[in-house]
Amino acid sequence: METQSTTLDITKTSSSRINEVDFDNLAFGKHCSDHMMICDYKDGKWQTPQVLPYGPIPMEPSAKVFHYGQAVFEGMKAFKDDNDKVWLFRPEDNFNRINISAERLAMPAFPKEYFFEALETILKLDKDWIKKGRGNSLYIRPFVIGTENGVSASPSDEYRFIIICCPAKAYYSNPVKVTIAQKYSRSADGGVGFAKAAGNYAAQFYPTNLAKEKGYQQVIWTDANTHEYLEECGTMNVFFRVGDKLITAPTNDRILDGITRKSIIALAEDDGVTVEVRRVAVKEIVEAANNGELKEIFGAGTAATIVPFLGFDFNEKYYELPEVENSYGARFKQKLQDIQYNQAEDKFGWRHEVK
C-alpha cells in the first residue's frame, strides 16, 4: 500500500473548551477534548493526516458506513502521573487490533507512523484535559468508517480514520449484577466477534435492555450454538475465580482479544496465581456457586478497567457472590493501575511515555 509523508497538517483551536467541563462529574464519553485527527483514504492511499479543532464533519447521506456498517474502533487511555508526565498503556496492541478489525471488514490498514504521530500530537496539545489521580484518564477513541458515496452493496473505496478523546473516570462506579444469556447471542463462529466492529455493540443493546428491565446491568454472553459456554460480558472480557484459580475463556473468532484481559493474565501468573484459559461451562459456574467454590466474577476492559460482579442470574435464579478478603479483582486492578499511573516498575514493558 502506498503512503505519503508522515508530516501532519496541524490546525490548533483558537479557544479551548476545557473550562466548560466539570471534571468532578463526568458522564463517560460526553465531552471531547479540543483536538481530533482526521485522515482520508482516497485513490488507493492514505492522505496526509490532519489534526484539527474538534467539531462536526460533513457526511453524504449515501456514505456506505450508514448503509453497510463498515465501521471499526478502538478504546485506549492516556494517564498522567504525579510529575505531569503522560503515559499510554500498550498502544501498539491497540494499533495492531484496529488493523485486524479493519481487515475483517474489508478496510485498508492504517500506517503505524501516521497513527502514533497523530495520537501523540493530540495528547500534547490536549495535555491539560488529562487529569492526575487514580481513576482519571483521557479515553481515546480511534475509529474508521467507510465514506464512499453510493448505496451499492460493496466495500467502500474511500475511508476516514478519526481519533477523538474524552476525559474519563470509571465506566462503572459500582459493582454490577449480570444475567447469563440463554436466547440471544453476541457473535457466532466465522463472524466478526473478535473484531471491534461497531455492529457488534449495536446488536447487544436490545438484549441488554431486556436484562436491565429485570434489574441486571449487563449480560454474560454464551456461545451461539449451544448457550452452554460463557464467553464475554457486555463490553468486557470476564474472569471467574473458583477456589484459588482464575479462569477465563480463550479468545477465538467470537471473543475479543482484550488488552486488559491479557494484562490481567500476565499479572496473575507473575503473582503466582494459577490461570486457566479454557472453555467455561455455565453448569460449572452454577455448581461452583452452589458449593461455595465460586469466589469472584469480574469484568475487564479498557473503559471499565476491572469491575466486580455482585452476582448473576441463570434460569430465573439469582446467585449472590460472597464478599472475599484478598479479592483477585481488587488486587490486579491495583497492580494494573500502579503501572498505568507510573507508580510501580513496569517489568512487562507496557508503558509508553508521550514525550
PDB file of all heavy atoms in Angstrom, residues 220 231 233 236-242 245-249 258 260-266 268 275-277 280 285 294 296-301 305-307 309 332:
ATOM      1  N   ILE A 220     -23.852 -11.741  30.490  1.00  0.00           N
ATOM      2  CA  ILE A 220     -22.723 -12.615  30.150  1.00  0.00           C
ATOM      3  C   ILE A 220     -23.157 -13.439  28.950  1.00  0.00           C
ATOM      4  O   ILE A 220     -24.113 -14.227  29.028  1.00  0.00           O
ATOM      5  CB  ILE A 220     -22.316 -13.538  31.305  1.00  0.00           C
ATOM      6  CG1 ILE A 220     -21.867 -12.740  32.532  1.00  0.00           C
ATOM      7  CG2 ILE A 220     -21.165 -14.459  30.861  1.00  0.00           C
ATOM      8  CD1 ILE A 220     -21.382 -13.611  33.682  1.00  0.00           C
ATOM      9  N   GLU A 231     -18.715 -16.634  27.599  1.00  0.00           N
ATOM     10  CA  GLU A 231     -17.724 -16.003  26.727  1.00  0.00           C
ATOM     11  C   GLU A 231     -17.362 -14.595  27.209  1.00  0.00           C
ATOM     12  O   GLU A 231     -16.428 -14.416  27.949  1.00  0.00           O
ATOM     13  CB  GLU A 231     -18.241 -16.011  25.285  1.00  0.00           C
ATOM     14  CG  GLU A 231     -18.420 -17.457  24.787  1.00  0.00           C
ATOM     15  CD  GLU A 231     -18.508 -17.596  23.288  1.00  0.00           C
ATOM     16  OE1 GLU A 231     -18.977 -16.662  22.622  1.00  0.00           O
ATOM     17  OE2 GLU A 231     -18.084 -18.664  22.783  1.00  0.00           O
ATOM     18  N   CYS A 233     -18.777 -10.473  28.612  1.00  0.00           N
ATOM     19  CA  CYS A 233     -19.850  -9.828  29.368  1.00  0.00           C
ATOM     20  C   CYS A 233     -19.968  -8.382  28.917  1.00  0.00           C
ATOM     21  O   CYS A 233     -19.076  -7.578  29.191  1.00  0.00           O
ATOM     22  CB  CYS A 233     -19.586  -9.890  30.865  1.00  0.00           C
ATOM     23  SG  CYS A 233     -20.911  -9.106  31.813  1.00  0.00           S
ATOM     24  N   MET A 236     -17.006  -6.228  28.014  1.00  0.00           N
ATOM     25  CA  MET A 236     -15.829  -6.665  28.774  1.00  0.00           C
ATOM     26  C   MET A 236     -15.541  -8.149  28.553  1.00  0.00           C
ATOM     27  O   MET A 236     -16.449  -8.929  28.280  1.00  0.00           O
ATOM     28  CB  MET A 236     -16.060  -6.439  30.278  1.00  0.00           C
ATOM     29  CG  MET A 236     -16.398  -5.018  30.681  1.00  0.00           C
ATOM     30  SD  MET A 236     -16.796  -4.880  32.445  1.00  0.00           S
ATOM     31  CE  MET A 236     -18.455  -5.599  32.468  1.00  0.00           C
ATOM     32  N   ASN A 237     -14.289  -8.527  28.722  1.00  0.00           N
ATOM     33  CA  ASN A 237     -13.963  -9.931  28.955  1.00  0.00           C
ATOM     34  C   ASN A 237     -14.330 -10.248  30.401  1.00  0.00           C
ATOM     35  O   ASN A 237     -14.493  -9.345  31.231  1.00  0.00           O
ATOM     36  CB  ASN A 237     -12.474 -10.183  28.728  1.00  0.00           C
ATOM     37  CG  ASN A 237     -12.053  -9.959  27.286  1.00  0.00           C
ATOM     38  OD1 ASN A 237     -11.320  -9.024  26.995  1.00  0.00           O
ATOM     39  ND2 ASN A 237     -12.488 -10.809  26.374  1.00  0.00           N
ATOM     40  N   VAL A 238     -14.464 -11.533  30.722  1.00  0.00           N
ATOM     41  CA  VAL A 238     -14.928 -11.897  32.053  1.00  0.00           C
ATOM     42  C   VAL A 238     -14.028 -12.978  32.653  1.00  0.00           C
ATOM     43  O   VAL A 238     -13.552 -13.880  31.959  1.00  0.00           O
ATOM     44  CB  VAL A 238     -16.421 -12.330  32.026  1.00  0.00           C
ATOM     45  CG1 VAL A 238     -16.630 -13.561  31.159  1.00  0.00           C
ATOM     46  CG2 VAL A 238     -16.965 -12.531  33.416  1.00  0.00           C
ATOM     47  N   PHE A 239     -13.776 -12.847  33.956  1.00  0.00           N
ATOM     48  CA  PHE A 239     -12.946 -13.786  34.717  1.00  0.00           C
ATOM     49  C   PHE A 239     -13.759 -14.386  35.854  1.00  0.00           C
ATOM     50  O   PHE A 239     -14.595 -13.708  36.464  1.00  0.00           O
ATOM     51  CB  PHE A 239     -11.735 -13.065  35.322  1.00  0.00           C
ATOM     52  CG  PHE A 239     -10.673 -12.694  34.330  1.00  0.00           C
ATOM     53  CD1 PHE A 239     -10.779 -11.525  33.583  1.00  0.00           C
ATOM     54  CD2 PHE A 239      -9.555 -13.496  34.146  1.00  0.00           C
ATOM     55  CE1 PHE A 239      -9.796 -11.175  32.674  1.00  0.00           C
ATOM     56  CE2 PHE A 239      -8.568 -13.151  33.239  1.00  0.00           C
ATOM     57  CZ  PHE A 239      -8.692 -11.991  32.499  1.00  0.00           C
ATOM     58  N   PHE A 240     -13.476 -15.663  36.144  1.00  0.00           N
ATOM     59  CA  PHE A 240     -14.132 -16.384  37.230  1.00  0.00           C
ATOM     60  C   PHE A 240     -13.060 -16.896  38.188  1.00  0.00           C
ATOM     61  O   PHE A 240     -12.102 -17.531  37.760  1.00  0.00           O
ATOM     62  CB  PHE A 240     -14.934 -17.574  36.686  1.00  0.00           C
ATOM     63  CG  PHE A 240     -15.913 -17.197  35.613  1.00  0.00           C
ATOM     64  CD1 PHE A 240     -15.525 -17.181  34.276  1.00  0.00           C
ATOM     65  CD2 PHE A 240     -17.217 -16.846  35.927  1.00  0.00           C
ATOM     66  CE1 PHE A 240     -16.410 -16.834  33.278  1.00  0.00           C
ATOM     67  CE2 PHE A 240     -18.121 -16.499  34.930  1.00  0.00           C
ATOM     68  CZ  PHE A 240     -17.712 -16.484  33.610  1.00  0.00           C
ATOM     69  N   ARG A 241     -13.245 -16.633  39.469  1.00  0.00           N
ATOM     70  CA  ARG A 241     -12.342 -17.198  40.478  1.00  0.00           C
ATOM     71  C   ARG A 241     -13.060 -18.356  41.158  1.00  0.00           C
ATOM     72  O   ARG A 241     -14.047 -18.176  41.881  1.00  0.00           O
ATOM     73  CB  ARG A 241     -11.944 -16.155  41.520  1.00  0.00           C
ATOM     74  CG  ARG A 241     -11.041 -16.714  42.609  1.00  0.00           C
ATOM     75  CD  ARG A 241     -10.738 -15.676  43.662  1.00  0.00           C
ATOM     76  NE  ARG A 241      -9.985 -16.234  44.784  1.00  0.00           N
ATOM     77  CZ  ARG A 241      -9.649 -15.547  45.876  1.00  0.00           C
ATOM     78  NH1 ARG A 241      -9.991 -14.272  45.988  1.00  0.00           N
ATOM     79  NH2 ARG A 241      -8.975 -16.131  46.853  1.00  0.00           N
ATOM     80  N   VAL A 242     -12.575 -19.553  40.891  1.00  0.00           N
ATOM     81  CA  VAL A 242     -13.115 -20.761  41.509  1.00  0.00           C
ATOM     82  C   VAL A 242     -12.036 -21.310  42.421  1.00  0.00           C
ATOM     83  O   VAL A 242     -10.962 -21.710  41.964  1.00  0.00           O
ATOM     84  CB  VAL A 242     -13.525 -21.796  40.442  1.00  0.00           C
ATOM     85  CG1 VAL A 242     -14.017 -23.073  41.109  1.00  0.00           C
ATOM     86  CG2 VAL A 242     -14.590 -21.215  39.516  1.00  0.00           C
ATOM     87  N   LYS A 245      -8.166 -20.545  41.816  1.00  0.00           N
ATOM     88  CA  LYS A 245      -7.837 -20.486  40.391  1.00  0.00           C
ATOM     89  C   LYS A 245      -8.607 -19.364  39.707  1.00  0.00           C
ATOM     90  O   LYS A 245      -9.759 -19.082  40.059  1.00  0.00           O
ATOM     91  CB  LYS A 245      -8.155 -21.817  39.706  1.00  0.00           C
ATOM     92  CG  LYS A 245      -7.304 -22.989  40.157  1.00  0.00           C
ATOM     93  CD  LYS A 245      -7.597 -24.230  39.328  1.00  0.00           C
ATOM     94  CE  LYS A 245      -9.015 -24.711  39.527  1.00  0.00           C
ATOM     95  NZ  LYS A 245      -9.264 -26.019  38.851  1.00  0.00           N
ATOM     96  N   LEU A 246      -7.969 -18.771  38.720  1.00  0.00           N
ATOM     97  CA  LEU A 246      -8.611 -17.756  37.909  1.00  0.00           C
ATOM     98  C   LEU A 246      -8.854 -18.358  36.524  1.00  0.00           C
ATOM     99  O   LEU A 246      -7.931 -18.881  35.898  1.00  0.00           O
ATOM    100  CB  LEU A 246      -7.710 -16.521  37.806  1.00  0.00           C
ATOM    101  CG  LEU A 246      -8.354 -15.208  37.348  1.00  0.00           C
ATOM    102  CD1 LEU A 246      -9.499 -14.800  38.280  1.00  0.00           C
ATOM    103  CD2 LEU A 246      -7.304 -14.104  37.298  1.00  0.00           C
ATOM    104  N   ILE A 247     -10.101 -18.293  36.057  1.00  0.00           N
ATOM    105  CA  ILE A 247     -10.484 -18.948  34.808  1.00  0.00           C
ATOM    106  C   ILE A 247     -11.077 -17.907  33.864  1.00  0.00           C
ATOM    107  O   ILE A 247     -11.878 -17.061  34.271  1.00  0.00           O
ATOM    108  CB  ILE A 247     -11.519 -20.064  35.064  1.00  0.00           C
ATOM    109  CG1 ILE A 247     -11.006 -21.043  36.136  1.00  0.00           C
ATOM    110  CG2 ILE A 247     -11.842 -20.813  33.782  1.00  0.00           C
ATOM    111  CD1 ILE A 247     -12.066 -22.025  36.618  1.00  0.00           C
ATOM    112  N   THR A 248     -10.687 -17.987  32.597  1.00  0.00           N
ATOM    113  CA  THR A 248     -11.288 -17.131  31.582  1.00  0.00           C
ATOM    114  C   THR A 248     -11.340 -17.879  30.254  1.00  0.00           C
ATOM    115  O   THR A 248     -10.534 -18.786  30.015  1.00  0.00           O
ATOM    116  CB  THR A 248     -10.529 -15.795  31.441  1.00  0.00           C
ATOM    117  OG1 THR A 248     -11.302 -14.875  30.665  1.00  0.00           O
ATOM    118  CG2 THR A 248      -9.157 -15.982  30.794  1.00  0.00           C
ATOM    119  N   ALA A 249     -12.279 -17.498  29.409  1.00  0.00           N
ATOM    120  CA  ALA A 249     -12.443 -18.165  28.130  1.00  0.00           C
ATOM    121  C   ALA A 249     -11.300 -17.816  27.184  1.00  0.00           C
ATOM    122  O   ALA A 249     -10.751 -16.718  27.244  1.00  0.00           O
ATOM    123  CB  ALA A 249     -13.773 -17.764  27.499  1.00  0.00           C
ATOM    124  N   GLY A 258      -8.944  -9.021  24.352  1.00  0.00           N
ATOM    125  CA  GLY A 258      -8.881  -7.834  25.205  1.00  0.00           C
ATOM    126  C   GLY A 258      -7.481  -7.561  25.730  1.00  0.00           C
ATOM    127  O   GLY A 258      -6.789  -8.459  26.212  1.00  0.00           O
ATOM    128  N   THR A 260      -6.764  -5.473  28.319  1.00  0.00           N
ATOM    129  CA  THR A 260      -6.830  -5.580  29.779  1.00  0.00           C
ATOM    130  C   THR A 260      -6.851  -7.047  30.189  1.00  0.00           C
ATOM    131  O   THR A 260      -6.204  -7.440  31.170  1.00  0.00           O
ATOM    132  CB  THR A 260      -8.063  -4.845  30.320  1.00  0.00           C
ATOM    133  OG1 THR A 260      -8.058  -3.495  29.841  1.00  0.00           O
ATOM    134  CG2 THR A 260      -8.070  -4.831  31.843  1.00  0.00           C
ATOM    135  N   ARG A 261      -7.573  -7.862  29.445  1.00  0.00           N
ATOM    136  CA  ARG A 261      -7.619  -9.301  29.708  1.00  0.00           C
ATOM    137  C   ARG A 261      -6.226  -9.903  29.691  1.00  0.00           C
ATOM    138  O   ARG A 261      -5.833 -10.639  30.613  1.00  0.00           O
ATOM    139  CB  ARG A 261      -8.501  -9.983  28.661  1.00  0.00           C
ATOM    140  CG  ARG A 261      -8.465 -11.505  28.667  1.00  0.00           C
ATOM    141  CD  ARG A 261      -9.160 -12.081  27.436  1.00  0.00           C
ATOM    142  NE  ARG A 261      -9.035 -13.529  27.368  1.00  0.00           N
ATOM    143  CZ  ARG A 261      -7.997 -14.174  26.873  1.00  0.00           C
ATOM    144  NH1 ARG A 261      -6.962 -13.482  26.373  1.00  0.00           N
ATOM    145  NH2 ARG A 261      -7.967 -15.504  26.865  1.00  0.00           N
ATOM    146  N   LYS A 262      -5.460  -9.627  28.623  1.00  0.00           N
ATOM    147  CA  LYS A 262      -4.107 -10.170  28.523  1.00  0.00           C
ATOM    148  C   LYS A 262      -3.229  -9.688  29.675  1.00  0.00           C
ATOM    149  O   LYS A 262      -2.384 -10.437  30.183  1.00  0.00           O
ATOM    150  CB  LYS A 262      -3.477  -9.759  27.177  1.00  0.00           C
ATOM    151  CG  LYS A 262      -4.107 -10.424  25.982  1.00  0.00           C
ATOM    152  CD  LYS A 262      -3.302 -10.197  24.716  1.00  0.00           C
ATOM    153  CE  LYS A 262      -3.386  -8.784  24.220  1.00  0.00           C
ATOM    154  NZ  LYS A 262      -2.816  -8.632  22.855  1.00  0.00           N
ATOM    155  N   SER A 263      -3.428  -8.436  30.066  1.00  0.00           N
ATOM    156  CA  SER A 263      -2.620  -7.867  31.146  1.00  0.00           C
ATOM    157  C   SER A 263      -2.926  -8.538  32.476  1.00  0.00           C
ATOM    158  O   SER A 263      -2.010  -8.821  33.271  1.00  0.00           O
ATOM    159  CB  SER A 263      -2.869  -6.354  31.237  1.00  0.00           C
ATOM    160  OG  SER A 263      -2.592  -5.718  30.005  1.00  0.00           O
ATOM    161  N   ILE A 264      -4.211  -8.813  32.735  1.00  0.00           N
ATOM    162  CA  ILE A 264      -4.586  -9.474  33.991  1.00  0.00           C
ATOM    163  C   ILE A 264      -4.000 -10.882  34.043  1.00  0.00           C
ATOM    164  O   ILE A 264      -3.491 -11.320  35.092  1.00  0.00           O
ATOM    165  CB  ILE A 264      -6.112  -9.507  34.142  1.00  0.00           C
ATOM    166  CG1 ILE A 264      -6.643  -8.093  34.363  1.00  0.00           C
ATOM    167  CG2 ILE A 264      -6.531 -10.425  35.292  1.00  0.00           C
ATOM    168  CD1 ILE A 264      -8.140  -7.982  34.253  1.00  0.00           C
ATOM    169  N   ILE A 265      -4.058 -11.600  32.922  1.00  0.00           N
ATOM    170  CA  ILE A 265      -3.478 -12.944  32.900  1.00  0.00           C
ATOM    171  C   ILE A 265      -1.991 -12.886  33.234  1.00  0.00           C
ATOM    172  O   ILE A 265      -1.485 -13.677  34.057  1.00  0.00           O
ATOM    173  CB  ILE A 265      -3.708 -13.599  31.522  1.00  0.00           C
ATOM    174  CG1 ILE A 265      -5.205 -13.904  31.319  1.00  0.00           C
ATOM    175  CG2 ILE A 265      -2.889 -14.885  31.388  1.00  0.00           C
ATOM    176  CD1 ILE A 265      -5.559 -14.339  29.917  1.00  0.00           C
ATOM    177  N   ALA A 266      -1.272 -11.944  32.637  1.00  0.00           N
ATOM    178  CA  ALA A 266       0.160 -11.817  32.897  1.00  0.00           C
ATOM    179  C   ALA A 266       0.432 -11.424  34.348  1.00  0.00           C
ATOM    180  O   ALA A 266       1.346 -11.966  34.993  1.00  0.00           O
ATOM    181  CB  ALA A 266       0.775 -10.785  31.947  1.00  0.00           C
ATOM    182  N   ALA A 268      -1.504 -11.972  36.965  1.00  0.00           N
ATOM    183  CA  ALA A 268      -1.871 -13.083  37.849  1.00  0.00           C
ATOM    184  C   ALA A 268      -0.792 -14.162  37.845  1.00  0.00           C
ATOM    185  O   ALA A 268      -0.383 -14.652  38.911  1.00  0.00           O
ATOM    186  CB  ALA A 268      -3.215 -13.662  37.426  1.00  0.00           C
ATOM    187  N   VAL A 275      -3.760 -19.646  36.467  1.00  0.00           N
ATOM    188  CA  VAL A 275      -4.717 -19.124  35.492  1.00  0.00           C
ATOM    189  C   VAL A 275      -5.026 -20.219  34.481  1.00  0.00           C
ATOM    190  O   VAL A 275      -4.118 -20.798  33.884  1.00  0.00           O
ATOM    191  CB  VAL A 275      -4.163 -17.879  34.765  1.00  0.00           C
ATOM    192  CG1 VAL A 275      -5.201 -17.348  33.774  1.00  0.00           C
ATOM    193  CG2 VAL A 275      -3.772 -16.793  35.757  1.00  0.00           C
ATOM    194  N   GLU A 276      -6.299 -20.501  34.302  1.00  0.00           N
ATOM    195  CA  GLU A 276      -6.729 -21.478  33.303  1.00  0.00           C
ATOM    196  C   GLU A 276      -7.472 -20.741  32.188  1.00  0.00           C
ATOM    197  O   GLU A 276      -8.505 -20.117  32.432  1.00  0.00           O
ATOM    198  CB  GLU A 276      -7.633 -22.535  33.927  1.00  0.00           C
ATOM    199  CG  GLU A 276      -6.921 -23.401  34.966  1.00  0.00           C
ATOM    200  CD  GLU A 276      -7.816 -24.488  35.535  1.00  0.00           C
ATOM    201  OE1 GLU A 276      -9.015 -24.535  35.153  1.00  0.00           O
ATOM    202  OE2 GLU A 276      -7.330 -25.286  36.362  1.00  0.00           O
ATOM    203  N   VAL A 277      -6.927 -20.788  30.990  1.00  0.00           N
ATOM    204  CA  VAL A 277      -7.571 -20.196  29.813  1.00  0.00           C
ATOM    205  C   VAL A 277      -8.205 -21.353  29.045  1.00  0.00           C
ATOM    206  O   VAL A 277      -7.523 -22.120  28.369  1.00  0.00           O
ATOM    207  CB  VAL A 277      -6.553 -19.432  28.952  1.00  0.00           C
ATOM    208  CG1 VAL A 277      -7.237 -18.836  27.726  1.00  0.00           C
ATOM    209  CG2 VAL A 277      -5.880 -18.334  29.768  1.00  0.00           C
ATOM    210  N   VAL A 280     -15.402 -22.297  29.513  1.00  0.00           N
ATOM    211  CA  VAL A 280     -16.002 -22.245  30.840  1.00  0.00           C
ATOM    212  C   VAL A 280     -17.488 -22.569  30.705  1.00  0.00           C
ATOM    213  O   VAL A 280     -18.252 -21.792  30.114  1.00  0.00           O
ATOM    214  CB  VAL A 280     -15.822 -20.858  31.487  1.00  0.00           C
ATOM    215  CG1 VAL A 280     -16.328 -20.878  32.928  1.00  0.00           C
ATOM    216  CG2 VAL A 280     -14.367 -20.404  31.427  1.00  0.00           C
ATOM    217  N   ILE A 285     -19.968 -23.124  36.536  1.00  0.00           N
ATOM    218  CA  ILE A 285     -20.016 -21.925  37.378  1.00  0.00           C
ATOM    219  C   ILE A 285     -21.211 -21.985  38.328  1.00  0.00           C
ATOM    220  O   ILE A 285     -21.109 -21.609  39.503  1.00  0.00           O
ATOM    221  CB  ILE A 285     -20.044 -20.663  36.496  1.00  0.00           C
ATOM    222  CG1 ILE A 285     -18.742 -20.572  35.680  1.00  0.00           C
ATOM    223  CG2 ILE A 285     -20.238 -19.414  37.336  1.00  0.00           C
ATOM    224  CD1 ILE A 285     -17.464 -20.600  36.507  1.00  0.00           C
ATOM    225  N   LEU A 294     -17.195 -20.745  44.131  1.00  0.00           N
ATOM    226  CA  LEU A 294     -17.128 -19.550  43.290  1.00  0.00           C
ATOM    227  C   LEU A 294     -16.933 -18.324  44.178  1.00  0.00           C
ATOM    228  O   LEU A 294     -17.829 -17.921  44.911  1.00  0.00           O
ATOM    229  CB  LEU A 294     -18.407 -19.406  42.460  1.00  0.00           C
ATOM    230  CG  LEU A 294     -18.439 -18.219  41.499  1.00  0.00           C
ATOM    231  CD1 LEU A 294     -17.354 -18.340  40.430  1.00  0.00           C
ATOM    232  CD2 LEU A 294     -19.810 -18.085  40.839  1.00  0.00           C
ATOM    233  N   GLU A 296     -15.355 -15.165  43.060  1.00  0.00           N
ATOM    234  CA  GLU A 296     -15.468 -13.874  42.389  1.00  0.00           C
ATOM    235  C   GLU A 296     -15.788 -14.066  40.920  1.00  0.00           C
ATOM    236  O   GLU A 296     -15.396 -15.066  40.312  1.00  0.00           O
ATOM    237  CB  GLU A 296     -14.144 -13.087  42.438  1.00  0.00           C
ATOM    238  CG  GLU A 296     -13.664 -12.614  43.775  1.00  0.00           C
ATOM    239  CD  GLU A 296     -12.308 -11.927  43.644  1.00  0.00           C
ATOM    240  OE1 GLU A 296     -12.277 -10.768  43.157  1.00  0.00           O
ATOM    241  OE2 GLU A 296     -11.295 -12.549  44.005  1.00  0.00           O
ATOM    242  N   ILE A 297     -16.468 -13.085  40.363  1.00  0.00           N
ATOM    243  CA  ILE A 297     -16.539 -12.879  38.918  1.00  0.00           C
ATOM    244  C   ILE A 297     -16.270 -11.397  38.699  1.00  0.00           C
ATOM    245  O   ILE A 297     -16.798 -10.550  39.430  1.00  0.00           O
ATOM    246  CB  ILE A 297     -17.913 -13.241  38.326  1.00  0.00           C
ATOM    247  CG1 ILE A 297     -18.334 -14.659  38.708  1.00  0.00           C
ATOM    248  CG2 ILE A 297     -17.887 -13.093  36.810  1.00  0.00           C
ATOM    249  CD1 ILE A 297     -19.743 -15.021  38.212  1.00  0.00           C
ATOM    250  N   PHE A 298     -15.445 -11.085  37.728  1.00  0.00           N
ATOM    251  CA  PHE A 298     -15.242  -9.671  37.402  1.00  0.00           C
ATOM    252  C   PHE A 298     -15.014  -9.495  35.914  1.00  0.00           C
ATOM    253  O   PHE A 298     -14.545 -10.392  35.214  1.00  0.00           O
ATOM    254  CB  PHE A 298     -14.093  -9.051  38.213  1.00  0.00           C
ATOM    255  CG  PHE A 298     -12.753  -9.728  38.100  1.00  0.00           C
ATOM    256  CD1 PHE A 298     -11.867  -9.419  37.068  1.00  0.00           C
ATOM    257  CD2 PHE A 298     -12.351 -10.654  39.054  1.00  0.00           C
ATOM    258  CE1 PHE A 298     -10.626 -10.027  36.987  1.00  0.00           C
ATOM    259  CE2 PHE A 298     -11.103 -11.266  38.981  1.00  0.00           C
ATOM    260  CZ  PHE A 298     -10.238 -10.954  37.942  1.00  0.00           C
ATOM    261  N   GLY A 299     -15.404  -8.318  35.443  1.00  0.00           N
ATOM    262  CA  GLY A 299     -15.211  -7.956  34.045  1.00  0.00           C
ATOM    263  C   GLY A 299     -13.960  -7.135  33.880  1.00  0.00           C
ATOM    264  O   GLY A 299     -13.502  -6.470  34.822  1.00  0.00           O
ATOM    265  N   ALA A 300     -13.396  -7.150  32.663  1.00  0.00           N
ATOM    266  CA  ALA A 300     -12.150  -6.428  32.393  1.00  0.00           C
ATOM    267  C   ALA A 300     -12.204  -5.815  31.003  1.00  0.00           C
ATOM    268  O   ALA A 300     -12.539  -6.493  30.026  1.00  0.00           O
ATOM    269  CB  ALA A 300     -10.958  -7.380  32.496  1.00  0.00           C
ATOM    270  N   GLY A 301     -11.887  -4.522  30.930  1.00  0.00           N
ATOM    271  CA  GLY A 301     -11.845  -3.836  29.649  1.00  0.00           C
ATOM    272  C   GLY A 301     -11.194  -2.481  29.798  1.00  0.00           C
ATOM    273  O   GLY A 301     -10.989  -2.011  30.925  1.00  0.00           O
ATOM    274  N   THR A 305     -11.839  -0.964  33.131  1.00  0.00           N
ATOM    275  CA  THR A 305     -10.683  -1.473  33.884  1.00  0.00           C
ATOM    276  C   THR A 305     -11.063  -2.840  34.461  1.00  0.00           C
ATOM    277  O   THR A 305     -11.118  -3.817  33.739  1.00  0.00           O
ATOM    278  CB  THR A 305     -10.197  -0.502  34.960  1.00  0.00           C
ATOM    279  OG1 THR A 305     -10.036   0.802  34.370  1.00  0.00           O
ATOM    280  CG2 THR A 305      -8.832  -0.934  35.499  1.00  0.00           C
ATOM    281  N   ILE A 306     -11.369  -2.918  35.757  1.00  0.00           N
ATOM    282  CA  ILE A 306     -11.848  -4.173  36.353  1.00  0.00           C
ATOM    283  C   ILE A 306     -13.085  -3.854  37.186  1.00  0.00           C
ATOM    284  O   ILE A 306     -13.057  -2.965  38.041  1.00  0.00           O
ATOM    285  CB  ILE A 306     -10.760  -4.832  37.222  1.00  0.00           C
ATOM    286  CG1 ILE A 306      -9.591  -5.292  36.342  1.00  0.00           C
ATOM    287  CG2 ILE A 306     -11.339  -6.017  38.003  1.00  0.00           C
ATOM    288  CD1 ILE A 306      -8.432  -5.882  37.114  1.00  0.00           C
ATOM    289  N   VAL A 307     -14.175  -4.580  36.903  1.00  0.00           N
ATOM    290  CA  VAL A 307     -15.443  -4.321  37.572  1.00  0.00           C
ATOM    291  C   VAL A 307     -15.904  -5.583  38.280  1.00  0.00           C
ATOM    292  O   VAL A 307     -16.119  -6.621  37.636  1.00  0.00           O
ATOM    293  CB  VAL A 307     -16.520  -3.881  36.564  1.00  0.00           C
ATOM    294  CG1 VAL A 307     -17.834  -3.619  37.283  1.00  0.00           C
ATOM    295  CG2 VAL A 307     -16.084  -2.652  35.806  1.00  0.00           C
ATOM    296  N   PHE A 309     -18.476  -8.212  40.089  1.00  0.00           N
ATOM    297  CA  PHE A 309     -19.879  -8.566  39.949  1.00  0.00           C
ATOM    298  C   PHE A 309     -20.439  -8.934  41.320  1.00  0.00           C
ATOM    299  O   PHE A 309     -19.801  -9.666  42.086  1.00  0.00           O
ATOM    300  CB  PHE A 309     -20.058  -9.760  39.005  1.00  0.00           C
ATOM    301  CG  PHE A 309     -19.676  -9.485  37.568  1.00  0.00           C
ATOM    302  CD1 PHE A 309     -19.209  -8.249  37.162  1.00  0.00           C
ATOM    303  CD2 PHE A 309     -19.787 -10.490  36.629  1.00  0.00           C
ATOM    304  CE1 PHE A 309     -18.860  -7.998  35.851  1.00  0.00           C
ATOM    305  CE2 PHE A 309     -19.454 -10.267  35.305  1.00  0.00           C
ATOM    306  CZ  PHE A 309     -18.982  -9.017  34.910  1.00  0.00           C
ATOM    307  N   PHE A 332      -5.542  -7.132  41.237  1.00  0.00           N
ATOM    308  CA  PHE A 332      -4.971  -6.922  39.907  1.00  0.00           C
ATOM    309  C   PHE A 332      -5.353  -5.560  39.335  1.00  0.00           C
ATOM    310  O   PHE A 332      -4.613  -5.009  38.511  1.00  0.00           O
ATOM    311  CB  PHE A 332      -5.369  -8.070  38.986  1.00  0.00           C
ATOM    312  CG  PHE A 332      -4.857  -9.395  39.494  1.00  0.00           C
ATOM    313  CD1 PHE A 332      -5.704 -10.487  39.592  1.00  0.00           C
ATOM    314  CD2 PHE A 332      -3.544  -9.531  39.928  1.00  0.00           C
ATOM    315  CE1 PHE A 332      -5.242 -11.693  40.095  1.00  0.00           C
ATOM    316  CE2 PHE A 332      -3.079 -10.732  40.437  1.00  0.00           C
ATOM    317  CZ  PHE A 332      -3.928 -11.817  40.517  1.00  0.00           C
TER     318      PHE A 332
END
